[in-house]
Amino acid sequence: MDERDIVLNSVLEELKNKKLITELEKDIVDAIKVFLEQPIDRNSIKTKINEIDLKYNTYSDLLMVMPQDSLCTLDELNDAEMRNNLYLRINVLLGRRVNRKGDSI
């Protein structure tokens, strides 16, 4: 278990223990569960990445920070890269969750 797994497990536990969970938080929980699955299921990861991109437009957020020469299709990625790709999207969603909390304060 690497550092990312530990962090995401703690986020997962925090969200599971909430009484009221937002749609965004439910999507975060679902994405973390796919990320933590062992062995890695490429189809599940690919499906989750596409769902997140369609619903939250995370692809455009990532395009702004990714070097243009590193862009490729999901099918071209190895398992570790595919998992990293989902991890990046989870972080984008977590950032949006934090921003929404800040808006309501």
Side-chain angles (χ1 to χ4, degrees):
M1 185 178 286
D2 67 14
E3 185 178 315
R4 295 176 311 174
D5 294 343
I6 295 167
V7 169
L8 291 180
N9 268 313
S10 66
V11 171
L12 186 61
E13 285 307 310
E14 174 196 338
L15 292 175
K16 280 181 173 179
N17 291 327
K18 276 187 75 176
K19 292 199 185 332
L20 234 67
I21 189 166
T22 66
E23 185 176 347
L24 173 61
E25 290 168 333
K26 182 191 177 312
D27 291 336
I28 291 169
V29 166
D30 292 343
I32 290 173
K33 286 179 180 177
V34 170
F35 179 85
L36 294 173
E37 281 179 1
Q38 290 296 331
I40 293 171
D41 181 349
R42 289 180 60 87
N43 287 331
S44 292
I45 292 174
K46 186 176 178 180
T47 299
K48 186 54 62 182
I49 287 170
N50 288 330
E51 286 173 3
I52 292 169
D53 283 349
L54 284 171
K55 189 169 185 177
Y56 296 101
N57 198 25
T58 53
Y59 187 75
S60 61
D61 293 345
L62 294 172
L63 275 178
M64 292 188 297
V65 296
M66 301 282 287
Q68 294 299 313
D69 61 347
S70 69
L71 300 177
C72 59
T73 67
L74 293 175
D75 292 327
E76 296 175 81
L77 302 176
N78 65 36
D79 288 352
E81 292 167 332
M82 179 87 74
R83 198 166 181 254
N84 288 339
N85 210 288
L86 179 57
Y87 183 76
L88 290 172
R89 282 165 172 79
I90 292 169
N91 278 299
V92 169
L93 297 182
L94 288 169
R96 290 183 184 185
R97 177 178 174 249
V98 169
N99 288 339
R100 285 188 183 175
K101 277 185 169 181
D103 290 344
S104 64
I105 294 175

